[in-house]
Amino acid sequence: MADGDILKAAGKAIRKGLRDGIATAAAASIAITAATADITARPTRDEWVFIRTQQGRATAADWRETTVLLGYQARIVLACEQYDVVFVEKSRRTGATWGAAADAVLRSASPRNNGGMDTLYMGTSHDMAKEFIDAAAMWARLFEKVCAGISETIFDDGSEKGIQALKIDFASGFSIVALSSKPRSLRGRQGFAILDEAAFVDNLAELLKAAMAFLMWGGKVLVISTHNGADNPFNQVITDIRAGRVNYGLVRFDLDDALRDGLFERMCLVNSHKHGEWTPEKEADWREKLVSDYRDGADEELYCIPSQGSGAWLPSPLIEARMVDAPILRLSFPESFALEPEHIRKATVQRWIEEELLPVMRATLDPTLMTGFGMDVGRHRDLTVMCPMQISRLMRRVVPFMVELQRVPFQQQEQIRDALVAGLPRFIGGRTDATGIGASLAESGMQKFGQRMVEVKFSTEWYRVEMPPVKAAFEDDMIAVPKDAEVSADLRAFKVIKGIATLPALRTTTATGGTRHGDAGIAIVLAYSATRQPFEAYGYESAQPGADAEYERRRRLRPVDSYRDNMMPGRNDGLW
């Protein structure tokens, strides 16, 4: 079926309710891509056939019923509605700019009182500008927006000759202008700025600085690109977004995300003479060949992994600069302790809790501060590490103490955790390692402390989202961790692998002869994640002076009054 027929039918549907469709597509896409594989793994050809067979089609087989924007294209448009500045890190040639052209037409064809504005598109070449302006003209026809034809113009960029540009004028009085990227081209302009393949422009830092002026009068900035190295300004801004330093929107999709959203299905629909009818097997073969053709460049070009991104995550001087004097309680047992009767194991650990743990908690925890909790689970080879973390009034995260357990049975680990968490002031939630042997403890924690205690299964996406804020806290002096050689070694164990900070499969030997696998580092990251979750502790205080004391006096006199509420003192039936 011809591309024009597909788009014409879809265009009618878009004009009736574009944004509802976008929100639905985006939600579906997010649900599909929520599960992410391990950082070092990528589905094989047969695994991809199984994944796509289980998922089924992402788009309708009938071109009359298919949505015009795929899920990731829809998320870009939705993000531009929610944020003034949006960054898109993407796989090569997936149609991100094509979807952005639809948003540009809707904005520039609208009157000013409905959010209308000029669009200024900047690519790295005149060919890219022509491709964008052609896509915009196509969208204008489908949306039935009144506009003049494509014209060439000389764009005044402040130089004597100006630069050649392509332009579409709309009846609204606004225009879409497409040109190559030069920072001075944005000076004195306003509207919707689209910077395409931004990682490959000559001076991205200056271009972004000029683009930010668009925001002053209600404009928007959309930055789209594949990666071009870990040290590129494009990747540095994305790192700041993930770290929470800037409040920009971020949309990410790699080749597999795009395929799950129906990229190859759309190729089969548009180029049926080449691909025929879509099947999971055809898609897997096409994907396998594409990855093979890119060879070493596949990670960066297709999977959004910046090149030259390997090495230490946190340097030793930075770690040591954030260390403070704080106790670390270490408890270990011989292997034979697990064979002791339960009452002996329980009593032994309870005595340790009362004599060691509780006094340290009373001495180090500030009862006025909110507290989070992180727990990395080990048993035989690795340690179990428990890490409380308090949020100071200046929003600095402080670890008051840590607990390390070696060869401690799971029942006693649970016993210690329950005592520790129950004594945390203003507890806002925790994160527990639920990968492998930690699943049982993570589940029991959720059952005892509710949904505030979240089970975490480590994945590429988890590391990608959670690690940048922690690094930002170290760099900005917004975290304090115990001064300890083992803790420092665990934090140094994190490595940047394929552009993402993670723990490699390497273990270090401790002074006592055991092994560590970044255990304290993981516990700190989990605790930091817990302090970022949207939970708050609330207390209740009566508005009537002296009411609380009067209520307590009556409660002691008449036990049935414990069911009464100060707001309804006449009730004495236990129903309020």
Side-chain angles (χ1 to χ4, degrees):
M1 185 58 62
D3 189 16
D5 293 335
I6 298 170
L7 295 175
K8 187 172 292 183
K12 294 180 180 178
I14 286 186
R15 288 193 299 274
K16 292 180 181 178
L18 176 66
R19 283 164 176 75
D20 291 341
I22 286 171
T24 303
S29 175
I30 290 170
I32 290 170
T33 60
T36 308
D38 184 76
I39 190 169
T40 59
R42 188 175 294 150
T44 64
R45 187 260 181 201
D46 292 337
E47 290 171 342
W48 190 255
V49 170
F50 176 78
I51 290 170
R52 293 294 277 123
T53 301
Q54 292 294 108
Q55 176 193 338
R57 292 187 65 101
T59 62
D62 188 342
W63 65 271
R64 299 175 185 84
E65 299 176 1
T66 188
T67 56
V68 68
L69 294 181
L70 299 178
Y72 56 89
Q73 295 168 331
R75 291 204 303 276
I76 295 173
V77 180
L78 183 62
C80 289
E81 287 293 307
Q82 297 173 330
Y83 296 92
D84 292 335
V85 181
V86 175
F87 273 67
V88 178
E89 52 176 338
K90 67 179 185 68
S91 176
R92 180 74 69 185
R93 301 301 295 174
T94 48
T97 307
W98 190 77
D103 193 19
V105 169
L106 290 175
R107 292 183 187 279
S108 295
S110 300
R112 187 181 300 276
N113 59 8
N114 196 27
M117 62 183 73
D118 288 323
T119 297
L120 190 63
Y121 169 88
M122 306 185 73
T124 58
S125 66
H126 185 72
D127 290 338
M128 287 182 64
K130 187 177 186 307
E131 183 179 354
F132 179 84
I133 211 74
D134 287 342
M138 180 272 298
W139 283 114
R141 290 193 299 271
L142 294 177
F143 294 150
E144 297 178 354
K145 299 297 184 182
V146 179
C147 65
I150 300 174
S151 62
E152 292 193 3
T153 184
I154 300 299
F155 186 83
D156 181 10
D157 66 342
S159 63
E160 292 184 4
K161 296 182 177 180
I163 55 176
Q164 187 178 9
L166 298 171
K167 184 179 182 183
I168 298 178
D169 294 317
F170 290 90
S172 63
F174 298 113
S175 304
I176 295 178
V177 180
L179 64 161
S180 58
S181 55
K182 293 183 180 178
R184 64 175 181 268
S185 302
L186 294 177
R187 298 295 180 183
R189 309 289 172 179
Q190 63 185 50
F192 182 31
I194 301 176
L195 312 182
D196 199 3
E197 290 300 349
F200 297 87
V201 304
D202 294 333
N203 194 343
L204 178 57
E206 287 298 317
L207 192 62
L208 291 174
K209 187 192 303 182
M212 292 304 115
F214 278 51
L215 308 180
M216 295 180 63
W217 290 88
K220 301 273 188 177
V221 177
L222 174 61
V223 184
I224 305 172
S225 188
T226 49
H227 277 287
N228 186 25
D231 296 329
N232 189 279
F234 176 74
N235 184 59
Q236 292 173 359
V237 175
I238 286 176
T239 300
D240 287 342
I241 295 172
R242 290 201 172 100
R245 288 194 179 107
V246 290
N247 187 29
Y248 297 166
L250 178 61
V251 178
R252 178 192 181 277
F253 58 90
D254 59 24
L255 175 64
D256 290 352
D257 296 328
L259 290 175
R260 289 188 185 97
D261 280 353
L263 174 63
F264 189 71
E265 296 171 30
R266 182 59 51 84
M267 290 180 177
C268 292
L269 195 63
V270 174
N271 297 319
S272 58
H273 63 282
K274 179 178 180 180
H275 300 294
E277 186 176 352
W278 176 86
T279 65
E281 291 76 15
K282 286 182 182 178
E283 179 173 300
D285 291 337
W286 179 86
R287 171 182 176 272
E288 191 80 2
K289 182 180 183 302
L290 184 65
V291 173
S292 176
D293 290 344
Y294 269 97
R295 303 176 65 188
D296 294 340
D299 283 342
E300 185 165 62
E301 296 289 315
L302 303 179
Y303 287 95
C304 306
I305 299 172
S307 62
Q308 303 173 355
S310 298
W313 178 58
L314 290 175
S316 296
L318 181 60
I319 296 172
E320 294 171 8
R322 304 296 173 251
M323 287 187 155
V324 297
D325 291 329
I328 297 181
L329 302 178
R330 293 185 166 99
L331 175 65
S332 64
F333 290 112
E335 292 289 353
S336 60
F337 182 74
L339 303 177
E340 296 286 347
E342 181 179 355
H343 70 279
I344 293 179
R345 287 185 279 113
K346 187 174 182 179
T348 301
V349 169
Q350 185 61 35
R351 184 168 61 253
W352 181 85
I353 291 173
E354 294 174 356
E355 295 178 358
E356 303 291 338
L357 177 61
L358 294 182
V360 168
M361 292 179 65
R362 287 192 290 267
T364 60
L365 289 169
D366 187 332
T368 66
L369 300 181
M370 293 185 290
T371 311
F373 175 77
M375 180 177 179
D376 182 45
V377 181
R379 177 61 178 92
H380 295 286
R381 283 197 306 174
D382 301 328
L383 304 178
T384 289
V385 180
M386 303 180 190
C387 176
M389 183 175 288
Q390 295 199 289
I391 308 175
S392 75
R393 290 172 179 81
L394 297 178
M395 300 304 293
R396 193 169 189 247
R397 270 63 171 182
V398 178
V399 179
F401 67 92
M402 296 180 75
V403 174
E404 291 188 357
L405 308 177
Q406 185 176 25
R407 295 188 299 272
V408 175
F410 287 125
Q411 283 184 320
Q412 276 56 63
Q413 291 188 31
E414 185 174 351
Q415 182 181 354
I416 295 171
R417 180 206 62 197
D418 291 350
L420 195 160
V421 174
L424 294 178
R426 302 186 66 189
F427 179 57
I428 58 174
R431 297 281 194 273
T432 306
D433 166 23
T435 307
I437 61 174
S440 178
L441 276 171
E443 182 178 67
S444 69
M446 183 269 295
Q447 291 170 341
K448 290 182 179 178
F449 299 101
Q451 295 183 348
R452 295 178 300 173
M453 190 70 79
V454 179
E455 305 170 68
V456 175
K457 291 186 180 294
F458 299 126
S459 66
T460 302
E461 191 63 24
W462 187 86
Y463 282 111
R464 179 183 290 114
V465 171
E466 298 296 343
M467 301 304 283
V470 180
K471 184 173 184 179
F474 273 90
E475 292 174 341
D476 299 340
D477 194 15
M478 294 301 289
I479 191 170
V481 299
K483 184 184 295 183
D484 182 86
E486 303 287 9
V487 173
S488 176
D490 284 353
L491 287 168
R492 291 198 309 272
F494 288 101
K495 302 297 181 185
V496 179
I497 302 175
K498 294 184 177 180
I500 303 173
T502 187
L503 273 178
L506 298 174
R507 285 174 167 79
T508 58
T509 303
T510 66
T512 59
T515 61
R516 302 179 75 99
H517 185 220
D519 307 304
I522 282 289
I524 290 170
V525 174
L526 287 167
Y528 194 91
S529 174
T531 63
R532 296 172 61 225
Q533 63 185 355
F535 285 103
E536 243 183 277
Y538 289 91
Y540 171 77
E541 182 177 350
S542 173
Q544 181 180 353
D548 291 336
E550 177 64 16
Y551 169 73
E552 182 63 23
R553 185 185 68 82
R554 292 186 180 186
R555 186 188 66 79
R556 289 195 299 268
L557 293 175
R558 293 184 294 176
V560 71
D561 281 350
S562 63
Y563 296 103
R564 296 168 59 193
D565 190 283
N566 288 323
M567 297 177 66
M568 299 187 67
R571 295 294 293 267
N572 196 28
D573 52 12
L575 297 178
W576 183 267

